[in-house]
Amino acid sequence: PLPKNKALLRPGVDNRPRALIIADPNAAPRKRIFAALFMLLGFIFCGLFGIGFAVALHEPYREAAIEFFQESMRDLGFTVSEIEVEGGTHVATDLVIAAAGFDLDSEILPIDLSRAKRAIENLPWVKRASVSRRLPDRLMVHIEEYEPAALWQLEQRLWLIDESGTPIVEVAPVDYPELFLLIGKGAGKRLANAELLVAEVAKAGWSVKAARLVGERRWDLILANDTVISLPETGPKMAINQLSALDAEYGLVAAAPARLDMRLGDYLVVRARDGKRIQQLRGPQTAL
């Protein structure tokens, strides 16, 4: 499935440090020894409170007990005064904090870390996240982002994908011009297969700017001069080798025809820019 977020993210913009700590300027400084003491007292208090809470079944007592507990936790220092976010370069820190629902000066113990983790991982670019708290007052988020590997065009939409073909974000046609373009349904998931064919074509000295998956069965390779090499469903690498041998003899690619069609077994059909067939050549049998 495609990502739900369709926001257009421009590459090359990173205005924040690798790790950012959001701190409460009004939080009183605490030394570690006092923090440890506060933690110990807090856990003892929680145990005592749990016993009392089990007895206080009536609503008025329950509400009063909860309010008293929250105030006590604040007094002991168990409130958020620092939020540290690290590991991200494309997703903004404020978006991470907002998605997690973190607020400075809020109680740290009731925070649902699992829910915060899921919310952060739903953000664009975020592959996985870890969320933890360091008592008494610190929240920590580590983000692992997707690594862009190629562009994938499906109908009129263009997506940035990782090496597994997972869509990351929708981008503009002018973004990431250095990345290879895959076109067609299912093409994103077959990036590795396309890369093998492109590497084979590169041996012949040709540059491929895009690969189109036709009918989720076979590939059309689009060269830098806009010539399309139509490969068969079976034996595409052998067809490339055959085409290379014919090109060495006839200089086909340099002539920049519209299409070099290799789908007819050991025959190559060359089509001109006006769509007419201009030549049909028989390749060497040993190349098949």
Side-chain angles (χ1 to χ4, degrees):
L2 298 178
K4 296 180 180 179
N5 188 291
K6 300 178 182 178
L8 186 65
L9 300 184
R10 299 284 181 177
V13 178
D14 181 13
N15 297 317
R16 67 184 190 84
R18 188 66 175 173
L20 182 62
I21 298 178
I22 307 299
D24 184 356
N26 299 316
R30 303 181 180 89
K31 294 189 178 295
R32 289 300 174 187
I33 186 170
F34 290 112
L37 178 60
F38 287 155
M39 290 171 58
L40 178 60
L41 292 175
F43 290 139
I44 294 174
F45 181 82
C46 288
L48 295 175
F49 177 78
I51 298 174
F53 186 80
V55 177
L57 298 177
H58 297 291
E59 188 68 26
Y61 297 105
R62 186 181 301 114
E63 291 180 358
I66 292 175
E67 183 178 353
F68 177 72
F69 174 74
Q70 291 175 339
E71 291 179 356
S72 300
M73 289 296 98
R74 286 181 176 274
D75 292 339
L76 290 171
F78 285 86
T79 57
V80 179
S81 65
E82 291 185 1
I83 304 173
E84 179 178 341
V85 180
E86 63 177 3
T89 58
H90 294 92
V91 59
T93 299
D94 57 346
L95 290 180
V96 173
I97 295 175
F102 294 158
D103 292 306
L104 292 174
D105 203 36
S106 61
E107 291 84 2
I108 196 170
L109 292 178
I111 294 176
D112 188 342
L113 299 184
S114 297
R115 189 212 65 82
K117 169 183 165 67
R118 291 193 299 270
I120 293 171
E121 289 179 339
N122 283 332
L123 292 173
W125 283 101
V126 179
K127 185 176 184 178
R128 61 178 60 92
S130 62
V131 183
S132 61
R133 53 185 149 222
R134 183 172 296 174
L135 297 176
D137 60 356
R138 191 177 188 185
L139 292 171
M140 304 179 67
V141 179
H142 181 77
I143 293 173
E144 180 184 348
E145 294 182 335
Y146 287 101
E147 292 291 337
L151 296 171
W152 173 41
Q153 180 180 324
L154 181 62
E155 296 177 349
Q156 301 302 315
R157 301 171 69 183
L158 187 65
W159 297 90
L160 191 67
I161 62 174
D162 73 348
E163 61 182 6
S164 69
T166 300
I168 304 173
V169 289
E170 191 170 1
V171 295
V174 295
D175 293 338
Y176 300 95
E178 74 280 4
L179 293 182
F180 187 66
L181 175 62
L182 298 167
I183 304 171
K185 183 179 179 181
K189 293 296 183 181
R190 297 176 63 174
L191 172 60
N193 177 250
E195 288 177 333
L196 290 175
L197 298 179
V198 170
E200 199 68 26
V201 168
K203 295 177 183 179
W206 309 325
S207 177
V208 180
K209 67 178 183 180
R212 179 171 51 237
L213 186 62
V214 181
E216 298 188 66
R217 298 181 297 102
R218 65 168 197 85
W219 291 99
D220 278 351
L221 301 182
I222 305 173
L223 302 184
N225 65 357
D226 291 328
T227 295
V228 177
I229 300 177
S230 294
L231 297 174
E233 182 178 355
T234 58
K237 291 180 65 175
M238 296 181 182
I240 292 172
N241 292 334
Q242 179 187 10
L243 177 59
S244 177
L246 290 170
D247 182 70
E249 183 175 355
Y250 296 101
L252 301 172
V253 174
R259 184 179 299 272
L260 298 170
D261 196 335
M262 301 293 299
R263 293 175 293 169
L264 299 178
D266 59 343
Y267 284 92
L268 163 66
V269 177
V270 183
R271 296 190 180 275
R273 295 286 174 180
D274 59 6
K276 295 180 180 179
R277 178 185 296 187
I278 59 175
Q279 198 170 14
Q280 178 170 309
L281 303 174
R282 181 178 178 86
Q285 295 289 335
T286 56
L288 290 176

